[in-house]
Amino acid sequence: SYILTQPPSVSVAPGETARITCGGPNIGSKSVHWNQQKPGQAPVLVIYYDSDRPSGIPERFSGSNSGNTATLTITRVEAGDEADYFCQLWDSNSDDYVFGSGTKLTVL
Amino acid sequence: EVQLVESGGGLVQPGGSLRLSCAASGFTLSRYWMHWVRQVPGKGLVWVSRINTDGRSTNYADSVKGRFTFSRDNDKNTLYLQMNSLRAEDTAIYYCARDPGGGNWNSPFDYWGQGTLVTVSS
């Protein structure tokens, strides 16, 4: 089945830019979604279809997807952005919904 | 406000059964495909099952196929996950999630419930 690879952790200082990657073979040809999960809480959709942002999600959150890597970018990082971030897509070959292993964003 | 509230989790012995419920409010359930996703505490998310709007079409992850049954009652705004022949590896938090795609497999999960914990142990 399709494997999504994420770095286990990313650390940034407040006000800096965080970039969280999600790798997979030819992922640029697929639609990637990103979910944020804070401890003890349900996941929240923050980016869908590579780069669209749900209502209520700050403009600081953006996404891109090309080649073998999709990227979630968070500008002007705040303490409240500290969470786990999971990328997700549907793999047509296996008819399976696939999640990345998650990246823990730490705000220093 | 869209709300999804799961219930029915608990401790069950290996080989036992459990039925989870997911109560939906704040939207018209009958218009949406829905999913169950599970997560071992501290680990990643794993898709379990999906159901179409009228409940006549369901799909399952290989790990639960033949043991779990996803159903829905749109009149009661409730989803159900019947879990049989439970194994230790089924231990996880189970979330129901809404799919806004109208049958588009590529769509995201736009709302999630808070989850219910299932523990399979003797």
Side-chain angles (χ1 to χ4, degrees):
Chain A
S1 62
Y2 195 88
I3 304 291
L4 292 171
T5 302
Q6 295 185 239
S9 62
V10 168
S11 299
V12 295
E16 298 296 308
T17 297
R19 294 179 180 85
I20 299 172
T21 59
C22 176
N26 199 26
I27 195 174
S29 68
K30 303 179 183 296
S31 295
V32 177
H33 316 297
W34 291 91
N35 296 276
Q36 174 196 69
Q37 187 178 32
K38 297 181 179 179
Q41 297 186 22
V44 173
L45 182 67
V46 294
I47 291 290
Y48 63 103
Y49 292 126
D50 298 339
S51 58
D52 289 339
R53 196 173 51 251
S55 60
I57 300 300
E59 293 183 3
R60 301 184 296 103
F61 287 78
S62 64
S64 63
N65 184 17
S66 178
N68 296 315
T69 305
T71 303
L72 172 68
T73 301
I74 309 171
T75 58
R76 302 184 302 282
V77 166
E78 303 173 356
D81 298 331
E82 196 163 270
D84 292 326
Y85 291 85
F86 296 91
C87 56
Q88 179 259 316
L89 55 75
W90 175 69
D91 177 35
S92 59
N93 290 330
S94 60
D95 189 20
D96 195 10
Y97 295 84
V98 181
F99 290 90
S101 52
T103 298
K104 180 176 180 56
L105 175 64
T106 299
V107 182
L108 300 171
Chain B
E1 178 192 6
V2 171
Q3 282 200 318
L4 297 167
V5 179
E6 302 92 337
S7 61
L11 175 64
V12 61
Q13 292 188 339
S17 298
L18 212 56
R19 188 177 83 155
L20 306 183
S21 299
C22 173
S25 61
F27 68 101
T28 304
L29 180 63
S30 61
R31 295 180 181 174
Y32 291 87
W33 291 55
M34 299 294 293
H35 299 258
W36 286 97
V37 177
R38 67 186 182 184
Q39 183 178 36
V40 175
K43 301 297 185 182
L45 298 162
V46 177
W47 175 77
V48 173
S49 181
R50 74 174 172 228
I51 192 167
N52 74 335
T53 53
D54 63 9
R56 295 183 182 182
S57 177
T58 53
N59 298 87
Y60 301 91
D62 287 344
S63 58
V64 307
K65 201 171 295 183
R67 300 187 299 122
F68 288 14
T69 303
F70 194 175
S71 62
R72 64 193 296 162
D73 186 335
N74 288 333
D75 292 333
K76 294 184 178 179
N77 293 311
T78 304
L79 308 166
Y80 304 99
L81 185 67
Q82 178 65 44
M83 305 187 296
N84 298 330
S85 303
L86 282 162
R87 307 166 181 167
E89 54 265 35
D90 295 318
T91 295
I93 300 168
Y94 284 74
Y95 298 99
C96 61
R98 193 179 81 165
D99 178 338
N104 175 6
W105 300 150
N106 284 318
S107 66
F109 306 133
D110 65 348
Y111 286 95
W112 300 66
Q114 289 294 317
T116 186
L117 177 63
V118 173
T119 303
V120 184
S121 175
S122 54

